Structure formats: structure tokens, C-alpha cells
Amino acid sequence: MARRLPDVDVVIVGLGWTGGIMAKELAEAGLKVVALERGQMRTPEEDFTVPRIRDELRFANRTDLMMNTQQDTLTIRNNPDQEALPMRRLGSFLPGEGVGGAGSHWNGVTWRWGDMELQIRSRYEEKYGKAFIPEDMTIQDWGVTYAELEPFYDKFEKVAGVSGKAGNLRGRKIAGGNVFEDPRANEYPLPPLEDPLSGVMFASAAKEMGYHPHPRPSANASQPYVNPDGARIGACQYCGFCERFGCESNAKGSPNITVIPAAMRSPNFTLRTNAWVTKVNKDSDGRKATGVTYVNLLNGEELEQPAGMVILAAYGLNNAALLMWSGIGEVYDPRTGQGLVGKNYCYQTGTGATLFFEDKFFNPFIASGAWGQNIDDFNTNWEFDRRPHNYIGGSTIAAGGSNGRPIGYRPVPAGTPRWGTEWKRATRQWYQGAMGIGASGSVMPHRANFLDLDPTYRNVFGQPLMRMTFDYKPNEVRLTEHIAGVINRIADTMGAKHVSRAGPRRSWTSVPYQSTHNTGGTIMGSNPRESVVNKYLQHWQLSNMFILGAGVFPHNAAYNPTGPVGALAYWAADAIRTKYLRAPGPLVQA
Amino acid sequence: MSKDPGLQRRVFLKGAAAGGAAASTIGAAAPAAAQSATPPPSAAPPPQAAAAPGYMVLRPEEAAFVEALVDTMIPADELSPKGTDIGINVFIDRALASGWGKGDRLYLQGPWKEGTPQQGYQLSLTPAQLWRAGIEATNAHCEKAHGKAFDQLDAAQRNAVLTDLDRGRVTFDNGLSARAFWSMAYQNVMEGMFSDPIYGGNQGKAGWKLVGFPGVIENNRGRVVSSRDKRFEADPVSIADMS
Ligand SMILES: Cc1cc2nc3c(=O)[nH]c(=O)nc-3n(C[C@H](O)[C@H](O)[C@H](O)COP(=O)(O)OP(=O)(O)OC[C@H]3O[C@@H](n4cnc5c(N)ncnc54)[C@H](O)[C@@H]3O)c2cc1C
């Protein structure tokens, strides 16, 4: 039997970006908050110091800051007819572990998702007609609007110290920013970063073709900055060790230097590390969560933490697994379409070209995590007519590589020998002479893409692994076919000696790394028949439980997820502070 | 130098010719490697006395295999010293002795099924076990085809064996996946060439000098604009240099 601890007001599962935001906001509101984090303590002063942190092998290849698949992982397959097998080591995506979560080692591309995403079904039906949406594509409106979220995007950008250039200030379009974005109340807190040569070249080629290049918004600070909570953020050093690494100059807006230390200053907040939550407990009539059960990894003891409110902030995939392990809600079944937990799992797609120049020097090791130039002409540009290309969604197209670390980055044209003197010669030449143009594409939910529990494989606690069934469907293949063509046409104007051309992406594979942009599984929406949580991320049935993270996204856009992940966490925290605490209970009537 | 005869290099390379391996690199349509427009790095540094090997994991036959492998893939030429002089063999030995080699962060529970390529690594073996089994199987393959172990072959034969492995044309008799072994071996050689010298490879920072990677340098803030489209060069700095 688990030993029962004294009651607290709030228990938070996981202390990354979303857990950190909630911890700070609720502790400041006067609640007694306990966060349980399965990993260990992590601070910039101890963990991100130079030279130790500049170790490509340890952090990029051996994934030292990330989830340890020996303890818990997922099983994976491309379709329901296959047998799922365990993801035995990390590959395609890299969930975080330890204080700060994946926020410690993210890249920092920070977008706002607008009404085109938040009201996706209504918008497409209105413009293209109901029949344009395939039967088995389960897109839905999110139940929240951009106007509601705008102040919370603004807040997250200010907390993380985002560098960028507005393209739409309160309706006024500004050339040089993203003119397709939804209106912003304020400029970015910091001006854009410097551009790499690849960004300059890409922007000029794109502009020449009539597109609208703009700097990628980045939580890598272009200048020293003090955020509204008093956190001191340093200026980006363009060190080339960003994605998968902690930042030694505190220039990457991460929870470790912002919300978590702020929460830790509050006497109301307690952090327990090495605390692995295995289950959410609920009362007998299934109306309230009563707390969580966890294992203290320091001695193996099982403990029960009773709490007035439960916040799931363990990363979208883990939040879904916790619901399944706890028997909360019905698990989605693709044959019947019944069940909501695990439904609408999406990933991202993408494609890219590599351009090889004989007379250019890209110095790929001089790089920030998130920088460069992007075009949104095929993404947030609602005027872009999807009909001739026959797909729903969009794609960003950008240039600006994030690193030249040589174990992972050694572009050579196809046909280059794989070893020996000629390999060395080509590796040396093209290391300086290559650049990429890359696209990140949306993925729409599909009946046959989902999460559930595996019948065979188990984690170290004896719980079934979560099973991921996912592949790209015709909608996504058509999207990458179209975008590959666009990229190749841009590349062809740029005067490269060789171009490794972009092509469509047809099937999802669990290796190599693509992105940690997993969405869905605990989706939000406007009614309990089609969503797990309401617009405030409050669980429809257990009204004292809130579920954060990208698991609530009913579909995945082309954009990286953390902008709305952060904004929705602030939005939910605000709803708890201003609405829920006054009248605990459902914030939206079912 | 080790006195163990098994560790002596049984093969002396004469600057192996590049194998004709087709690269499965990014994209499909680009023509073959162009000529270098870049001057080679100033004369390859004199082979540093690589840290005395003193293998922790590799048995004599395995050491001979690994040494032959890294010297075939990274021959001495004007671009770099050869693999054993850079310590890539030492890197591999140390990696196999480390937590990684012993299966740290690897989910090893069964049952084990072959799976699809999309499902990634599905063997029950730790990296150290896979190297051991892979060397045995590759040597058996070489014995069958050429009557000799891999390290006894001449450079052209070794290159041909590696090319066959790289193109998926080898099937091991003992059932081990040649692809699984080769993709790990290839990756480990690259890691030994380009990782921080603290791991035993990349001695003299030969890998970093090859491409012009400056290592652990502290900041580039002032260089983004001033070095735009100009080759930025610096003596590479390693973790040990800054410690
Ligand atoms: C390499 C990389 C690059 C990225 N780059 C970008 C980018 O450029 N732009 C962008 O928008 N996004 C990016 N992301 C994604 C971004 O990091 C995530 O969206 C964000 O961190 C998610 O926040 P979260 O709070 O939901 O989860 P996390 O920050 O991952 O935090 C979850 C925490 O919960 C803990 N936890 C999990 N299970 C349990 C349990 N059972 N008990 C206790 N604790 C538990 C974990 O250990 C972890 O610390 C990147 C991610 C990675 C890995």
C-alpha cells in the first residue's frame, strides 16, 4: 500500500515548460503546490557550463538530457494491421526528462497559431465546402479563439524573451515581418537575431519570386534582456550548440531560467525530483481527481499525494499514458471511432533540399538554435488556394541551419564515396559550401492514427507501454509533394553547383530525428463528445484536473508547438485563478 | 606500443584508394562528388603518438579488425592521419566499455521481432555484444569469400567488403543483421573521427581540422556578420583545452 502524504492544494506532474508555468502562477496565487518530476534537478549553473555542455557525442548522440527508454518508452507501428514494437532507443522525437523537461534543450522557434488552426473545421468548411474535408480526417475546432489567446501568447513571448519582427500589429501589415500572421497587440519583446548567409540568400531568392520572407521568431535572445518576472536573459552567442543542449549564456528562454526559479522563490512551492507518477487517483463517482500515486526513485517507496487539484504537465504523450494507466476516460478505438483518450495523435511532416555552392562559406558552426528566414506563403496565408493541390494544412519553408556539429552535420552530394580520401575531400569542401532549405508541414488527424496501450511490452513499473500507430496519409503526402516542388523551384534560382532536391515524404519512420512535435491524445474542444478537455484545458469529467501540453492540440500545424503550449498554459492558469478558484467546478457546461 | 602480438597491426596500409561506394546521402539527383574548390588543410599534422591503446574491451582479434576497419575508412593522406593514429580504434573500445556500450538507455526487453525498417533497432544485443557478433560474422564472411579474416585482406578487398556491407549485399550466415552491425560500425567510426578528443578519438583534432570545426569555442556573437561568406578559421578548442 502506498503511504499517504498530507494533503496539498495542487499537485503538478512534470516540471518542464507547462509544469513550470503552472507552478509559478498557482504558487503566486497562494496555493500550496507540489511538483513531482521523474528526473533530477537541473540548473544552468551546474548543468549547462562550458566546456562540458559543448559535447556533441554526449548530448546530441547519446541524448543525455532526454527520456531514458530503458525505463519507459512507446511501441510503434505505421498502421493497425502491424505488430507494434518498442522504440528501443530515442530517434524520431526526444521527450525530455529532468527539471526543465524538453524546455531545457529545445531550439526556441516560437510561433503563434492563429484562427486558421484554432477554428480549422469551420474555416475550411466555409471556404472550401464540407466535401473538401475527407471522411476519415477528424479535424475539429479547438473551442478557443486567437483573440482569447492573444494576451497569453504575448505573455509567453515576454517570459521566454522572443526575438522577432511583427508583420501584423493590430491589423497594420508590416513588410519584413510575417504579414500573414494574426494581429498582434505588441511587437516582439526583442528585435530579430542576425541572419546567417543561408537566410540572406534564401530571403533574396524568395522575395524575387514574390514571396514574403521574414525572420523566424526565436526564444534565443538577440540582446540581453530582463523578463517581466525579473529573470535575466543573456544575449545569444551563436555557439551552434542549442537544440539538444542547455544554454550556458542563459540566452535560450527555458523554464530553467524563467518560470521554475520564479516558482522556487515562493514558499508555497515544493519540488520533489526523482518522483515518478504512475497513476492519477479519482473518487468513487468519477467526478474528482483525488491526487496521484508516485514512486520515490531514491528508495523505491510508493507514495500517494492527495491534492485538491491535479495538473498533468508530463508532456503530451505522457499525459495521455497517465490517463490510460489510471482508467480515466475511454481509450480510442479506431474500428468504432469511440473513445477519446489517444485520439487524433499527429506528428509533423516535412521535406527539404540541400544546395551545394563552390564559392560560398557558410561557417555552419556559427549558429543560433532558431534563426534564419522563413516564408509563410503556403502556410498562414489563407489566400493560398489549397484546392488545386488538394490538401488541408500548410507548410513553412525556411533557411538557417542550427548547427555545424560534425558528427551530425556533414552534407555531401549524392554519389559521394562514404569513406576514404575522396570522402574526406568532399566532406571538407561541402561542410563550408552547403546550405539547406527546409519545410515543416502540418499533419491532419486521421481515424487510423492514434495512441493506446500495448498488449505485450511493459515499462519498469510493469505498466503497459503506450502504443503509437501513425503514418502519413494521402493528404500529407500531397502536401509534401507540392511543397517539395516549391522548394526546388526556389533552389533552382540560387545558382548552386549541385542541388539535392526535395521530394515527398511518404511514410513515417522512427529513425532518425525529425522533431519533438507530437500532438493529440488528450484533445481539447467545445463539447465532451469530441474532446477530453474543455477550452480551459479542464477535464470534462474530473473538473479539478487540468491537462496541459501539445496533447490537447486536435491537429498539428506546420508551426512548432511551444508557442501555443506556453500560451495555453498561461490561459489555463488564468482561468484557474480568476474563475475556478472562485467557483470550483466545471468552467464550461457540457 | 603494446607488446601483445595480437595488437600489432598485421596489415600496413598503402593509403587505401577510395572505395567506389555510392552514398546514400541527402537527396537523389546530385551528380558525383565535385572537385575540391577548397585548399586542403595545411600539411597533415605529424601523426601524434595516440594515447597508448591498452584496450579495455576489444579482444586481440577484434582489435585487429577494428584497427583495419578504421585505417581503411580513414586512410593517411594529405587530409588527415590514418584512423588508428587519430585514435578511432581507442574511441570504439572506450565506447564499448562505457554505459552506452553496455546498453544504457536501450530498452532490451523481449520479445524480439525483426520489425520493419521504420521501427528501428530491434535486436536483443547491447552495442558491445553487437560489435562482437558483427566482427565474428564479418570475419566469417571474409574467410568464406577470400580465405582470410578482414584484417588480413589487402586494401582493395577490404574496401570491397565494406562496400558490400554498405550496399546491403552481405548476409551473415549466423542470422545476425549485417545492416544493423554496419550502420552502428559506420556511425561509431564517424563518432570517433569527429567527437571531442576527450573520448579518445579525434586525436590532434584531426577530424575537426579536416572540416574546419572550431570545437568548443565560447562565442561567435561578433562573427555572424563579420564572417558572413568568409571562411572563419580558428585553432580548434576541445573540452580538455578549456578545462
Ligand atoms: C531537441 C528539441 C528541440 C525542440 N525545439 C523546439 C522549437 O524550436 N520550437 C518549439 O516550439 N518546440 C520545440 N521543441 C518542443 C518543446 O521542447 C516542447 O513543446 C515543450 O518543452 C513541451 O513542454 P511540456 O511542459 O509539455 O513538456 P516538457 O517540457 O518535456 O516537460 C515534461 C516533464 O514531465 C516529466 N515527466 C514525464 N512523465 C512523468 C511522470 N510520470 N512523473 C513525473 N514526471 C514526469 C518529464 O521528465 C519532463 O521533465 C523541441 C523539443 C526538443 C526535444
Side-chain angles (χ1 to χ4, degrees):
Chain A
M1 260 309 267
R3 180 161 64 93
R4 200 181 145 96
L5 297 167
D7 265 56
V8 295
D9 295 326
V10 182
V11 64
I12 298 178
V13 184
L15 197 63
W17 254 132
T18 59
I21 289 171
M22 207 43 115
K24 173 182 175 292
E25 294 297 306
L26 298 190
E28 279 181 7
L31 299 173
K32 292 275 176 231
V33 178
V34 167
L36 303 173
E37 164 56 50
R38 67 180 175 185
Q40 300 197 320
M41 192 56 195
R42 191 181 284 155
T43 63
E45 309 82 75
E46 287 299 318
D47 292 274
F48 305 156
T49 50
V50 168
R52 283 171 58 257
I53 193 66
R54 304 267 169 92
D55 182 342
E56 180 181 14
L57 184 75
R58 175 173 170 203
F59 296 107
N61 299 87
R62 307 288 186 250
T63 61
D64 219 64
L65 296 175
M66 290 119 188
M67 178 172 91
N68 181 352
T69 50
Q70 207 161 37
Q71 298 185 305
D72 194 29
T73 181
L74 301 99
T75 62
I76 47 173
R77 58 180 178 177
N78 286 115
N79 65 65
D81 298 328
Q82 288 175 335
E83 187 175 5
L85 295 176
M87 187 172 78
R88 294 187 180 274
R89 53 165 71 96
L90 294 181
S92 172
F93 50 89
L94 302 168
E97 182 164 310
V99 170
S104 300
H105 49 74
W106 70 317
N107 241 347
V109 184
T110 310
W111 298 108
R112 293 179 173 203
W113 298 24
D115 279 331
M116 195 186 98
E117 312 298 347
L118 304 174
Q119 301 180 43
I120 187 166
R121 181 167 279 276
S122 313
R123 288 282 173 109
Y124 274 89
E125 284 186 358
E126 183 189 297
K127 179 162 176 182
Y128 294 98
K130 271 191 163 61
F132 191 65
I133 303 171
E135 195 74 37
D136 44 16
M137 182 188 287
T138 49
I139 50 173
Q140 67 189 43
D141 293 357
W142 294 32
V144 68
T145 64
Y146 177 77
E148 287 173 310
L149 282 187
E150 203 284 335
F152 301 95
Y153 278 122
D154 189 71
K155 175 141 190 175
F156 183 64
E157 286 170 357
K158 289 188 165 121
V159 168
V162 178
S163 307
K165 178 159 175 50
N168 180 350
L169 259 185
R170 290 173 226 108
R172 186 165 55 89
K173 299 294 174 82
I174 303 170
N178 181 8
V179 292
F180 303 116
E181 71 179 338
D182 283 19
R184 316 164 52 86
N186 297 304
E187 229 330 333
Y188 283 96
L190 289 166
L193 293 152
E194 296 291 355
D195 271 320
L197 175 61
S198 57
V200 173
M201 289 167 57
F202 169 74
S204 109
K207 209 165 174 179
E208 194 68 28
M209 293 175 73
Y211 302 136
H212 300 80
H214 57 90
R216 239 189 311 206
S218 168
N220 307 158
S222 58
Q223 297 171 0
Y225 170 74
V226 180
N227 89 357
D229 305 320
R232 308 185 74 83
I233 294 184
C236 177
Q237 302 300 319
Y238 303 85
C239 72
F241 287 80
C242 194
E243 179 172 44
R244 305 185 186 202
F245 299 81
C247 181
E248 128 276 347
S249 36
N250 287 348
K252 170 154 63 184
S254 79
N256 303 72
I257 60 165
T258 59
V259 288
I260 293 172
M264 293 187 71
R265 282 196 295 273
S266 165
N268 292 332
F269 176 68
T270 306
L271 164 61
R272 290 185 208 132
T273 53
N274 302 290
W276 193 304
V277 176
T278 52
K279 192 169 180 252
V280 178
N281 303 310
K282 55 182 176 176
D283 64 7
S284 49
D285 57 359
R287 305 290 289 273
K288 288 264 186 290
T290 56
V292 301
T293 300
Y294 72 99
V295 176
N296 175 0
L297 298 176
L298 299 176
N299 63 4
E301 186 180 14
E302 190 171 79
L303 297 150
E304 188 190 331
Q305 177 60 68
M309 289 176 69
V310 172
I311 309 286
L312 298 189
Y315 190 67
L317 294 174
N318 300 318
N319 295 339
L322 280 166
L323 291 188
M324 294 181 196
W325 292 330
S326 310
I328 296 175
E330 192 184 340
V331 178
Y332 174 72
D333 180 342
R335 284 164 305 181
T336 61
Q338 295 299 303
L340 291 163
V341 181
K343 192 180 177 195
N344 282 23
Y345 171 72
C346 295
Y347 191 50
Q348 252 161 359
T349 185
T351 177
T354 307
L355 290 72
F356 298 89
F357 296 86
E358 285 188 311
D359 54 350
K360 297 280 176 210
F361 298 99
F362 290 99
N363 297 317
F365 40 83
I366 299 178
S368 114
W371 66 339
Q373 290 275 330
N374 179 70
I375 60 170
D376 246 20
D377 296 77
F378 302 96
N379 186 32
T380 49
N381 177 13
W382 189 237
E383 296 303 307
F384 156 53
D385 187 3
R386 274 85 172 162
R387 200 182 307 273
H389 311 288
N390 193 19
Y391 65 80
I392 287 175
S395 180
T396 58
I397 302 176
S402 66
N403 79 85
R405 300 183 303 265
I407 299 174
Y409 183 80
R410 283 175 281 105
V412 285
T416 301
R418 292 252 292 158
W419 57 83
T421 298
E422 284 315 308
W423 165 79
K424 281 192 225 173
R425 210 183 298 289
T427 301
R428 172 173 171 74
Q429 173 176 4
W430 300 119
Y431 182 73
Q432 269 291 2
M435 65 166 273
I437 301 178
S440 163
S442 60
V443 167
M444 294 303 128
H446 188 277
R447 277 185 75 119
N449 287 335
F450 61 99
L451 307 167
D452 64 357
L453 291 178
D454 191 86
T456 307
Y457 294 94
R458 304 200 161 242
N459 70 13
V460 277
F461 301 101
Q463 297 170 302
L465 297 186
M466 196 160 65
R467 174 168 68 178
M468 175 182 285
T469 305
F470 179 77
D471 211 348
Y472 299 120
K473 302 299 176 190
N475 184 71
E476 283 61 50
V477 177
R478 289 194 292 268
L479 179 149
T480 51
E481 264 165 2
H482 169 233
I483 293 301
V486 176
I487 290 177
N488 292 334
R489 282 194 291 283
I490 299 173
D492 285 342
T493 68
M494 290 175 66
K497 167 91 177 170
H498 311 293
V499 178
S500 288
R501 301 177 79 77
R505 190 174 291 175
R506 299 195 185 280
S507 185
W508 175 65
T509 160
S510 70
V511 277
Y513 185 68
Q514 290 140 67
S515 79
T516 309
H517 302 167
N518 316 88
T519 64
T522 62
I523 57 177
M524 64 191 292
S526 47
N527 68 69
R529 290 173 307 286
E530 60 174 31
S531 52
V532 174
V533 294
N534 66 26
K535 67 187 282 191
Y536 300 110
L537 312 194
Q538 180 184 37
H539 195 261
W540 283 108
Q541 286 78 33
L542 307 180
S543 62
N544 64 337
M545 179 165 76
F546 289 74
I547 305 179
L548 312 179
V552 304
F553 297 5
H555 74 276
N556 205 351
Y559 279 164
N560 314 49
T562 310
V565 163
L568 283 167
Y570 276 117
W571 157 255
D574 182 72
I576 292 170
R577 287 173 65 152
T578 61
K579 298 188 170 73
Y580 181 84
L581 292 180
R582 283 189 201 144
L587 297 175
V588 180
Q589 288 313 316
Chain B
M1 276 301 280
S2 168
K3 300 211 175 69
D4 183 336
L7 296 186
Q8 285 171 15
R9 273 162 218 139
R10 293 177 236 171
V11 173
F12 295 91
L13 295 177
K14 304 167 192 89
S24 53
T25 38
I26 3 155
Q35 279 119 343
S36 176
T38 318
S42 48
Q48 281 196 275
Y55 293 116
M56 297 169 78
V57 171
L58 297 176
R59 303 186 296 202
E61 258 186 42
E62 292 166 347
F65 178 96
V66 168
E67 291 174 7
L69 174 74
V70 304
D71 285 345
T72 306
M73 289 178 64
I74 315 294
D77 52 29
E78 80 281 9
L79 295 161
S80 83
K82 66 184 191 295
T84 48
D85 286 336
I86 299 175
I88 301 178
N89 50 327
V90 177
F91 169 88
I92 292 171
D93 178 69
R94 300 293 188 271
L96 299 185
S98 74
W100 178 80
K102 293 176 176 164
D104 185 26
R105 295 181 166 268
L106 184 58
Y107 180 90
L108 282 171
Q109 295 178 43
W112 298 280
K113 308 270 171 80
E114 192 182 343
T116 64
Q118 284 95 328
Q119 287 172 313
Y121 187 78
Q122 290 299 337
L123 306 187
S124 69
L125 306 173
T126 66
Q129 291 167 330
L130 179 54
W131 264 99
R132 178 152 291 177
I135 291 173
E136 241 171 62
T138 307
N139 273 338
H141 167 81
C142 294
E143 292 279 357
K144 204 160 132 186
H146 304 284
K148 290 177 187 164
F150 179 75
D151 66 289
Q152 305 282 341
L153 304 180
D154 65 30
Q157 288 171 318
R158 284 198 306 269
N159 270 301
V161 170
L162 298 187
T163 301
D164 284 345
L165 279 169
D166 196 51
R167 295 192 180 168
R169 293 191 299 229
V170 175
T171 308
F172 290 146
D173 288 341
N174 64 2
L176 181 74
S177 158
R179 190 177 290 282
F181 169 60
W182 173 246
S183 60
M184 176 184 64
Y186 185 90
Q187 172 67 14
N188 286 164
V189 171
M190 294 299 141
E191 289 170 356
M193 177 104 181
F194 294 108
S195 58
D196 192 282
I198 204 163
Y199 292 100
N202 192 17
Q203 293 303 304
K205 297 159 199 154
W208 290 356
K209 286 177 183 161
L210 172 70
V211 294
F213 179 65
V216 183
I217 54 168
E218 266 184 294
N219 85 69
N220 288 315
R221 191 170 169 75
R223 300 181 182 126
V224 178
V225 177
S226 66
S227 295
R228 195 182 277 151
D229 208 8
K230 295 189 201 90
R231 181 192 289 279
F232 172 75
E233 264 169 323
D235 252 356
V237 179
S238 70
I239 291 175
D241 294 340
M242 271 186 78
S243 297

